[in-house]
């Protein structure tokens, strides 16, 4: 019991000491995240596709599934964007590169004070501005702690409803009546590790709402890990508010993607129908 009280006291002292140092109006930080997603190859042909073909697709999609993002944040706002880097020769060119870029998240702005999310998104040549309220998760504080770099982190978990396909375009041939039986959504567990040494309720992607910056996050097949943090850099960046594209809600944008995905799936199956190459 005494040990538990001491632990809570240390946590409270850590929080208040950090809160004082981060209270300055011009405070800003930058966090670099490495994001990796494993691919369910059943979405790309299942038993109909050779292992060689699956490996080829997995290699082509590697650049889309392994990325580095930068989160620039202050007390109430953040801007999350993929870090710019040189494209590998042949890695993102041609029709394949154009298609994959349409399924890559664009720059995202979060304002936790106003509960606002804005994201610029290009999808098959059309530019959209997704404008919506911040998605809320019912975080459950767990009792576990661990060290990530120099930061003491605490565990929190939540349940989230997501697209059953994982957001990856599926070209798999369904069996008889499978389309009617396959669930459209699924429940996943989200595990986050946050640090109260940086007392801002920001995090990577559209995750937020904890009493400290999220440094690690695991959600289904995706792991996001913070690799570097810079606090109060000498040259501060403007936290940009996205403004380009046709304004649309997140639900409306998901419907656009769903319609286009189904169209491409039907075209793909039609091309393989009459004895086409698999």
């Amino acid at each position: 019991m005494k040990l538990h009280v001491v632990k809570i006291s240390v946590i409270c002292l850590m929080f208040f000491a950090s809160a004082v140092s981060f209270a300055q109006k011009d405070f800003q930080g930058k966090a670099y995240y490495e994001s990796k997603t494993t691919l369910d190859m059943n979405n790309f042909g299942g038993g109909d596709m050779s292992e060689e073909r699956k490996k080829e697709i997995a290699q082509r999609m590697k650049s889309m599934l392994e990325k580095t993002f930068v989160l620039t944040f202050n007390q109430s706002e953040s801007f999350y964007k993929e870090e710019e880097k040189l494209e590998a020769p042949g890695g993102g060119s041609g029709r394949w590169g154009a298609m994959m870029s349409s399924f890559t998240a664009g720059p995202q702005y979060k304002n936790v004070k106003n509960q606002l999310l804005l994201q610029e998104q290009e999808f098959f040549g059309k530019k959209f501005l997704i404008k919506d309220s911040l998605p809320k998760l019912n975080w459950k504080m767990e009792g576990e702690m661990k060290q990530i770099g120099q930061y003491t982190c605490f565990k929190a978990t939540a349940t989230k409803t997501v697209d059953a396909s994982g957001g990856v375009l599926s070209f798999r041939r369904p069996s008889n009546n499978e389309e009617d039986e396959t669930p459209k959504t699924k429940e996943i567990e989200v595990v986050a590790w946050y640090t109260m040494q940086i007392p801002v309720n920001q995090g990577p992607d559209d995750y937020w709402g904890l009493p400290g910056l999220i440094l690690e996050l695991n959600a289904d097949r995706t792991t996001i890990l913070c690799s570097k943090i810079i606090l109060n850099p000498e040259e501060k960046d403007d936290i940009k508010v996205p403004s380009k594209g046709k304004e649309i809600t997140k639900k409306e944008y998901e419907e656009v993607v769903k319609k286009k995905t189904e169209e491409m799936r039907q075209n793909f199956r039609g091309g393989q129908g009459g004895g086409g190459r698999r």
Side-chain angles (χ1 to χ4, degrees):
M1 182 68 179
K2 287 183 179 180
L3 183 61
H4 183 67
V5 172
V6 170
K7 184 184 288 187
I8 292 176
S9 299
V10 170
I11 292 171
C12 289
L13 285 171
M14 183 188 303
F15 173 75
F16 286 120
S18 299
V20 170
S21 62
F22 284 78
Q24 60 202 71
K25 290 184 179 180
D26 61 345
F27 161 75
Q28 189 182 99
K30 294 180 77 171
Y32 293 76
Y33 293 90
E34 303 294 332
S35 174
K36 290 187 178 182
T37 301
T38 57
L39 188 64
D40 181 3
M41 291 308 300
N42 288 329
N43 283 327
F44 290 86
D48 292 339
M49 188 176 291
S50 68
E51 290 301 316
E52 182 180 351
R53 180 62 174 157
K54 287 181 182 180
K55 288 179 181 179
E56 180 185 342
I57 290 176
Q59 185 60 37
R60 283 193 174 191
M61 294 190 69
K62 187 176 180 180
S63 62
M64 187 183 83
L65 300 174
E66 297 182 10
K67 291 180 176 293
T68 301
F69 292 88
V70 182
L71 179 75
T72 304
F73 60 90
N74 57 32
Q75 288 286 4
S76 60
E77 300 171 289
S78 69
F79 187 72
Y80 188 67
K81 184 181 180 182
E82 183 181 352
E83 186 178 37
E84 295 181 4
K85 54 187 176 181
L86 292 175
E87 190 72 53
S93 59
R95 292 175 60 188
W96 179 270
M99 184 178 74
M100 289 301 101
S101 65
S102 292
F103 290 90
T104 301
Q108 181 191 87
Y109 168 86
K110 297 197 296 287
N111 188 313
V112 298
K113 185 178 180 180
N114 299 332
Q115 301 285 292
L116 175 66
L117 181 145
L118 290 168
Q119 182 170 330
E120 288 181 355
Q121 189 69 48
E122 185 169 340
F123 189 70
F124 287 91
K126 295 183 179 180
K127 292 185 178 181
F128 296 92
L129 177 65
I130 301 171
K131 182 177 181 180
D132 221 321
S133 57
L134 284 175
K136 294 182 179 179
L137 292 178
N138 185 21
W139 291 109
K140 178 184 176 183
M141 305 303 181
E142 308 288 351
E144 296 178 47
M145 300 168 56
K146 75 173 181 178
Q147 201 75 11
I148 298 179
Q150 67 187 72
Y151 297 97
T152 300
C153 295
F154 303 90
K155 183 179 180 181
T157 59
T159 301
K160 184 179 182 181
T161 303
V162 299
D163 184 345
S165 70
V168 177
L169 182 60
S170 173
F171 292 123
R172 182 168 63 88
R173 287 169 174 265
S175 57
N176 292 336
N177 299 322
E178 186 179 353
E179 286 188 341
D180 296 330
E181 297 171 2
T182 303
K184 304 301 181 183
T185 61
K186 64 178 181 179
E187 298 286 318
I188 65 168
E189 182 185 40
V190 179
V191 178
W193 292 90
Y194 65 95
T195 178
M196 293 171 69
Q197 290 170 262
I198 307 178
V200 296
N201 53 356
Q202 295 281 358
D205 201 3
D206 59 0
Y207 294 96
W208 68 289
L210 289 166
L213 181 66
I214 298 172
L215 298 191
E216 182 179 332
L217 190 131
N218 296 278
D220 200 21
R221 293 176 173 272
T222 298
T223 297
I224 305 174
L225 180 61
C226 183
S227 58
K228 183 173 70 172
I229 295 175
I230 302 174
L231 298 178
N232 284 319
E234 290 184 7
E235 294 185 11
K236 291 182 169 58
D237 294 335
D238 290 332
I239 294 182
K240 301 175 183 177
V241 180
S243 59
K244 297 178 182 178
K246 177 185 176 183
E247 190 171 304
I248 193 171
T249 66
K250 189 172 184 180
K251 186 175 181 180
E252 289 170 339
Y253 179 73
E254 287 172 352
E255 286 299 315
V256 170
V257 174
K258 181 180 177 181
K259 184 177 179 180
K260 183 64 176 180
T261 301
E262 183 58 32
E263 177 187 317
M264 293 179 65
R265 185 185 289 117
Q266 294 297 334
N267 289 340
F268 181 83
R269 289 175 188 162
Q272 287 190 340
R277 194 175 66 132
R278 293 184 179 180

